[in-house]
Amino acid sequence: MSTPIRITITKTAGSAPREAGTQMLVWADRTEGTIGGGALEWEAMAEARRMLGEGRDHHTQTFPLGPGLGQCCGGSVTLTWDRADRINQKPKRPLWIYGAGHVGRAIVDVMAPLPDFDITWIDTSADRFAETEVTTLIAADPAKVVQHAPAQADHLILTYSHDIDLALCHAILSRDFNSAGLIGSATKWTRFKKRLAALGHSPDQIARIACPIGDPSLGKHPAAIALGVATAMISPQNRQGKDRTA
């Protein structure tokens, strides 16, 4: 099989469908990834296949995203085509999710397709997990596995037990982490704050845990909670680190 053409967004100006660095691969009969943009991507794929047919290895072109492409974005995108057999992968953010109940499953469903996250999913029993391609970990005592998480990890606490939730909060606050979120009501969080303070955590450190998680205006359905959590986690503020999982 011949080496495909890799398309890379090398520069953007104004309104653009994807950011610089986004890549896709094009073979004669299939593609992998997406640079977005509808007509822009269609034209980019057509050029890649012309290159495959003609044996060319490199091309660069800037596209105004206007009437010429039947679009009205108003910006421009510079693309580079080259021969390559893989997409350059960005470092992924470690996301540790505790709990494989309805909300845990919904969050994994939403977060797993996103390219930015390396998910580790923890629960106490194998039969609680849905079929998934993310890393799963069975732990009789989930709090004991926190020590194995990377220091820059994001944590989401969604278990069936308040005792497990509290132990996880305590374990996470006892080490370095990027962000943490806890599912629960305002009443639950008030009680947890008192208990965490009694365990020796300062108010500023406790405040790094977001509770409740998600966007209350979206409702309490697991899918709605998952959408709110995912939106908060991919926001620019949270990507910068040491922030909250709202």
Side-chain angles (χ1 to χ4, degrees), residues 39-74:
L40 170 69
E41 183 171 273
W42 188 259
E43 177 56 35
M45 290 165 52
E47 174 59 20
R49 288 181 171 134
R50 286 192 290 268
M51 293 174 64
L52 288 170
E54 298 167 7
R56 291 186 285 123
D57 293 334
H58 187 82
H59 179 60
T60 298
Q61 185 175 345
T62 298
F63 292 86
L65 301 178
L69 285 177
Q71 296 180 306
C72 55
C73 295

Side-chain angles (χ1 to χ4, degrees), residues 151-175:
Q152 72 275 22
D154 299 295
H155 299 266
L156 291 173
I157 303 167
L158 316 154
T159 82
Y160 57 83
S161 165
H162 284 198
D163 289 340
I164 295 175
D165 287 353
L166 181 64
L168 284 165
C169 288
H170 176 47
I172 291 166
L173 290 177
S174 299
R175 65 188 312 278

Side-chain angles (χ1 to χ4, degrees), residues 44-131:
M45 290 165 52
E47 174 59 20
R49 288 181 171 134
R50 286 192 290 268
M51 293 174 64
L52 288 170
E54 298 167 7
R56 291 186 285 123
D57 293 334
H58 187 82
H59 179 60
T60 298
Q61 185 175 345
T62 298
F63 292 86
L65 301 178
L69 285 177
Q71 296 180 306
C72 55
C73 295
S76 66
V77 172
T78 300
L79 301 179
T80 296
W81 294 254
D82 65 342
R83 292 271 183 173
D85 59 4
R86 67 184 62 187
I87 292 173
N88 292 331
Q89 297 290 340
K90 299 178 182 178
K92 293 187 176 184
R93 288 171 55 187
L95 171 60
W96 286 46
I97 299 174
Y98 306 88
H102 294 299
V103 175
R105 292 184 182 203
I107 290 176
V108 169
D109 285 345
V110 172
M111 301 297 296
L114 296 172
D116 297 336
F117 297 91
D118 180 15
I119 297 175
T120 300
W121 197 9
I122 302 104
D123 208 303
T124 56
S125 175
D127 60 11
R128 291 181 57 80
F129 294 107
E131 184 175 344

